[in-house]
Amino acid sequence: GQNIDQPTEMTATEGAIVQINCTYQTSGFNGLFWYQQHAGEAPTFLSYNVLDGLEEKGRFSSFLSRSKGYSYLLLKELQMKDSASYLCAFMDSNYQLIWGAGTKLIIKP
Amino acid sequence: GAVVSQHPSRVICKSGTSVKIECRSLDFQATTMFWYRQFPKQSLMLMATSNEGSKATYEQGVEKDKFLINHASLTLSTLTVTSAHPEDSSFYICSARGFREPYEQYFGPGTRLTVT
């Protein structure tokens, strides 16, 4: 079967670093996506990993370990505007995205 | 980058009426579009996958006769909520699959439907 799991909610402090983990199980895999969704808005694409390792993009980095079925999104130098839900999703063998429930990130001053 | 528009952004309708939501890919051709529904503080729920020129594939539990999907061109898909009920009130979001690898989905801004 297929499943994907991420924490429901996390809290972090402005200026700090936070890591949001995502674990998944699937027989067919075509990559792992991270999206950001602010309240009341549609998701926006953040990152994509298909090979093992770390992809860095400014303050955001995403890591993938295919053998462990594990990914994380790392956010550095947190800003208040980073308060949002972060959705991880893997693409299965049919190129369909299977979504996690999202992690609500709360940033405190 | 790829842009997807959605119209209307907000709609209020009376119970029993029908509402049509349009999803357009503005600068690329999308053979595959997706329709999602999201209730407050809940995750995205895929309703159906829409392929241009063919019938949509509905997820389990989604009534195809209630949520009519038409994907008549490579840039336009429509979702019609028929005989709307208050429990259909939700945030409806469409997305279009990218045209090259990694085939990420580009989301429209969403439509907030309120049925009174």
Side-chain angles (χ1 to χ4, degrees), chain A residues 37 85 87 100-102, chain B residues 37-45 90:
Chain A
Q37 186 179 23
S85 287
L87 312 175
Chain B
R37 182 166 54 182
Q38 187 174 37
F39 293 105
K41 299 184 180 180
Q42 294 188 21
S43 182
L44 292 173
M45 188 194 83
S90 187

Side-chain angles (χ1 to χ4, degrees), chain A residues 87-98:
Chain A
L87 312 175
C88 74
F90 68 82
M91 183 172 280
D92 68 12
S93 54
N94 295 317
Y95 293 97
Q96 299 284 64
L97 282 180
I98 309 301

